[in-house]
Amino acid sequence: MDSSWGLSPSPCWVRQGRAGWSLASLTVSLNSELNFIASRQAGRSSGPGRAAQQAARRCRLAFDSLLRKIQGLPAALPSLSLELTVLYNSLLFAVSESDGLVEGEAERINHGLIRVLEACGVSGQDLSTEELWQKVLQDVTTEELCAPLHRLGALQGAVWLAANCLGSVTGLFRLLSDTKDPLPSAHGGENELLALLKAWSVPVEGDTSPLVVQSTKDLKEILWTSAAFLQGLQGLEAGNLPTALSLLQAATSGFCSKRVLAQIYTSIGCCTQQMGKPQTALQHLKRALQVDFQCLSALSQAALVYRQLGETDAELEALALLYKALETPAQETVSIDPCFLIRTELLVHTPALASLFSRSHPSEVKYLLAQRCLQAGRVAEAVEHYLDLLALLQEGPQHQVPLHGRSALPRIPEVFLEAASALEQLGRHQDAIAVCEEIISRTDDLIPETLRIELDSSAGGEAPGRAGSPSPGIPPQQRESLRCIVWRAAAYLHQGWAWTRLGESKEAITRFTRCLNVLLRVQLVSAASIHSSEEMAEALPEAKVLQKIRLLALLGRGSQFQELGRDKEALMNFQHSLQVCPGDPAATSHLLRTLWKLNRRQEAAALWQKLHADAAPADGQQEAPGRCVRCLVAAAITRPRHELQSCQVEALPIVPGVMSKAGEPPTRRISC
Amino acid sequence: MAHVGHRVDYLAGFCCPVGGLAAGKPRVLCHENEIYLSNGSEFVYVYDQEGKVLKAIYRFPDQVWHVELLPLHRKLYILCAGTGIYCVSLDQQSRLLKQTDGDGKEDACPSSVFPIDSDACIVPDVTLCTFTLLNDVLITLSQAQDQWWVKLHVLLDPDQESQPCRQISQVGFSTCDQTGDDGDALSSHFLPVLCCASAPGTAGPGEGLWCSGGFTLEEPLFSLLFGIDAAMLDSPMILCGFPDGQLCCVPLKALNSSEAVDGCSEVAGQAPPVKILHHLEEPVVFIGALRTEHKAPDDPDDEQLFGDSGCDCVVVVGHYGKMVAMKAERGEEAKVPEVREYYLQGPILCAACGGGSRMYYSTHSDISAVDLDWVSNASDPENIDNTAYVLPPVLSPASLSICSVVALSLSSRASEGDSELLALSAKGRLMSCDLCSPDDAHPVRLTPEKAGQRIKELLSGIGNVSERVSFLKKAVDQKNRALTSLNQVMNVSAALLSNQDGRKPVTCTVTASWSRLLLQDTWTISCVLENSSEYCLEQGWTLCVQLFMSSCAFDEDSADSATTFTFPIDQLLPGSKKEVTLPLGTAEGTKLELPLTVSCALFYSLREILDSASDSYESLDDLLPDDSPGLSPDKEGICLPLSKCTIDILQCLRLDDGTVPGAPPSIATLSDPVETFLKVSRVQSDPSSVEVSDQLLPKAPDALGDEYLPPSVASIKVSSELLKNALKSFCEGW
């Protein structure tokens, strides 16, 4: 590689001698440019980082100004080879500096081609870039222009590859390798572009030709790898998994940095996982990590695979590792290796890559850890993680919190609610109460006295996303108010339970009552088309949660009244709860017990019989997925188990749906 | 309205360009006794208010756009146009400073100018528009790739780290609706405005925040404006006001957006953490916050807290005078912030507010204060319950009588409230204005020292008044001149437009003839402008002569080409004439495309006088309805058509009477043959007197009397022989 760096004045002088007077004027300027290039080599040795970047920038400026001088003269055949080489070098620096390919480069190549045609006496105006290339490669037969043109062609290929114009790249390489017809896809169904790239023979550069910063051969290799990787990712995106797999596997044999190799392995892992081969996926993800430990998305993918496999220990370990890696400040890995100005990283841009390799935030990973621990029943760990997360959220702006729609982190009040439920499960009731108090105080100013929501039958079927995703029926402002009410009510509910566990019945009753009062602020006005509560829940997922919270609050208050011996009030609460959720087994059992206790045995017997008859079809009920339901899940998990069990009538499931929901893997993908 | 009696002190004068300082970029900051000032040039000045000396001048590579101070580390951060943000440590200045002589009133001697080179550049970025500071984080706003980018940098300790700062995070978003044509010209005058709003209880040392224009907002306004997530994260919010009028906010702790994977968020315009708060529809010049409600004075604890407690009202000011105030409503129904728009007299150059309920803003002619404390203004105590704590329905600006101030800052030097206003005038003068109400001042007996002080104050007051008077006088004169000119223009226009049919009071006669110029025969058009009206055509009028070369018959494709010649008229008194001559081509010269249409018009540019009389570009559109006659299509001025005539080959034809070849013909005697023919045919019945063969029908119309005038038809036939001869000699040349 170093040979390409020995850019000594002599080749240029040779060219100048031949080019005659037009180049003589450049002699002086060339000297100054070459000084720059010498300084650039110094920059390279001085190490990576800013110095190298500055050196590269100076080089680009030097090449740019040289090119301007050359292009200021009319195009002439003898000097074209030099001009194209300077253009090539200048573009290489421009690309590497801007960390991606921008519009301007394509136009500069166009301009270069037009000048080539001019020199040959052919007009090249008004032609598209593809047509220009065709014309240039067909009309210009000068031997010594062949190498510079092919070199520029490779660069053009890179530009098109970066813009995902695979068709144009294929066409160009057909021209370059002088293949008239599309290659027969006979040999093993190999991809045409890859075959063309392989078949393309780079013209041998003579000793006297001006030197280049990155050789065409290297560029060819990089193009090949990028083309394979890019097409593999596109296949992955399109769901064309076997093709994607073969392309990605081909890409691993290519010429690229460790970082890209790790990305390719991760993509293979992702691909095989989708193909239903989790073990193979794990192997590839491991390889990705072996190649480059900084490839954190491999870790998060691995966590996902372990979750699928049900290996909670391994999953949590992977997540913990990921968090640890994210916590340590990322090393400044991006430094320009001067030998590879064009790298695979610069050429492959697809949505799949962006989503697969977007860097996750520590807070997201911490949340996943906490949530998974809680779901796996490791309450103590979950509490630790939740408390860490809450501390993380309060930290300064250095710790960024992802609040956007694709984040794994839910809305902040929901994080608090989950933390409260974890604390409560661990028996840290006072702490749970404090966390809930935070939600209550924050929502204090945000909820209206009454919230009247008119439900439209058309407002159905929409998953509640984060801020925005405007539901057709409900204005976002109202939805946000409704969410605040749900959060506040849930916080009161948790407080009620916590006080219950602390044995403070009166406090508990106060919280449950507040919870019910908050819920009363919502007035759901349904259109004529909505009759049943199911339909309403469908139109507004939060409505379902509201009902559940009301039921749980009524049950909690009823049992606390019972505790205090105020059976009649307890009875009223239980009856009310049955009205809210007809047929709810827990409510029925509470009611049954109270009736029995109050000596209203006939009523109790009738109720029991009715319940027995309804028991069978009662489980079919499923819940609409969504974030708000999840905060209910958290609520349900916390629910003191013994309290339910103590009043359980045999053969009745405990709060159906809710429990089953808790065990289910969340639908959201970890995106790292 | 009148609020006279504020004491104004001149502190120092700074150099300013000829046209005076433009608003937007100059900046005045004050910390303790030091004033940091940039006047839009490449200099930043440090002025000691106590010692009244200029302590340091820093010179930057380019125009300074923005200056912020981090008092904690005693560092100045300066945004230089097109290069980036520089950091200057103020502690170094004493080392660097060569002793300046005591008099810092005028421009200090150049020896104390410290040039700042690129080593001090901590954020090199050519796309930067503005920035702000919050403790040790630097928030920048830049424009690249058709998007705005808010970036967060952490300032690192230079002793420990190799870099001066590190970028943490960024978010890009577009203010979609004004990337188009007409907005750009206007928008480019203005820089976006950036500031930080802290959540209650999170602000550290208050002055750091205060210095950089940031503020702390109270609950519930913070939650209502920015949402519960930002409130629960205790995240400061970044507020951005854009030249297109949009006001956006984004939480400092969530400066990231999902990469636009599917492009959905692109379509929506805003990435989720970015929220549009309002759209002002005019360039935002200021974002600030006020405390409009006073805590009950009987509660000593609250009194204690008052200094530190946050603001309860956000104000945003647009360039043309629209002001938006946002405040939490105490109503029970809707939990939304109350947003009220006010219209102040624009154009507003700058504004400032400092924790109280008053906002100060400066126009060209005055600084005014508006008070948003509604309760104190409510006259009817019974209404307070209903309308308590909402914003006042109208504002009554109180004048401070200081004109043409381009940068304002409230000094926190005194212990309580707004006490002193620092202002930089367009002429480069730094002033301080004492804001203590004159009512509060108790009359005291004059001691000699106080008398001296008083006299000083009065003198400075007189200076201020005289500057103001001269400014106003200039403005009035300008407006008077504009009105006089307009009157003239309207008179002339009315005279020309009212008698369309009859003879116009201003005429323009077009004749074409051959003349001899510089030994070459040239075909010229001469236009004689005659003013027979009773008004004088003043300076500003222009005679426009437009030549339409109609396309030749054999060249259908070529479009009509028009050439316009304009001749400014210095003064054309009633009854006088002015002749202008246009050479069209020489005999040997270029081919003329005939026929040629000559159209003459008078034009008066309104832009000039209206621009000088007012600052608003809209005024012209307001002044003149779209369908006013005579208004030129682009509304630039008034265009009055005078005459139009066609010149054809006949007028061009020159008949050579001299038969001797080589002898130049006497051009002076040569008149237009057609004219001659027509003239002659009117009086003579004998057509043969003309050289051309002709027919005339009917013959001798005059003989039949005036009452019988049949339509006269004349046809002129040019003998081809004659033409051939003429053209032959024409072609052979002389």
Side-chain angles (χ1 to χ4, degrees), chain A residues 351 358 361 393-395 397-398 400-404 406 411-413 416 442-443 445-449 477, chain B residues 152 154 169 219-220 223-224 228-229 231-234 252-259 261 332-333 335-336:
Chain A
S358 67
H361 289 264
L393 293 183
Q394 296 303 312
E395 261 182 50
Q398 273 95 327
Q400 290 284 306
V401 181
L403 283 184
H404 52 79
R406 300 177 49 81
R411 299 291 300 269
I412 305 299
F416 274 68
R442 291 290 188 174
T443 48
D445 294 311
L446 297 178
I447 59 169
E449 199 70 0
Q477 190 80 44
Chain B
L152 179 68
V154 171
S169 183
E219 288 292 2
S223 296
L224 285 176
I228 190 166
D229 294 312
M232 287 190 81
L233 287 174
D234 286 330
L252 188 64
K253 282 193 191 174
L255 277 182
N256 45 44
S257 57
S258 55
E259 270 108 83
V261 171
E332 296 299 329
E333 284 300 312
K335 287 292 177 183
V336 284

Side-chain angles (χ1 to χ4, degrees), chain B residues 47-60:
Chain B
Y47 178 82
D48 184 2
Q49 207 174 353
E50 197 87 321
K52 304 223 168 195
V53 286
L54 202 53
K55 286 177 76 175
I57 305 173
Y58 298 99
R59 186 200 182 109
F60 290 88

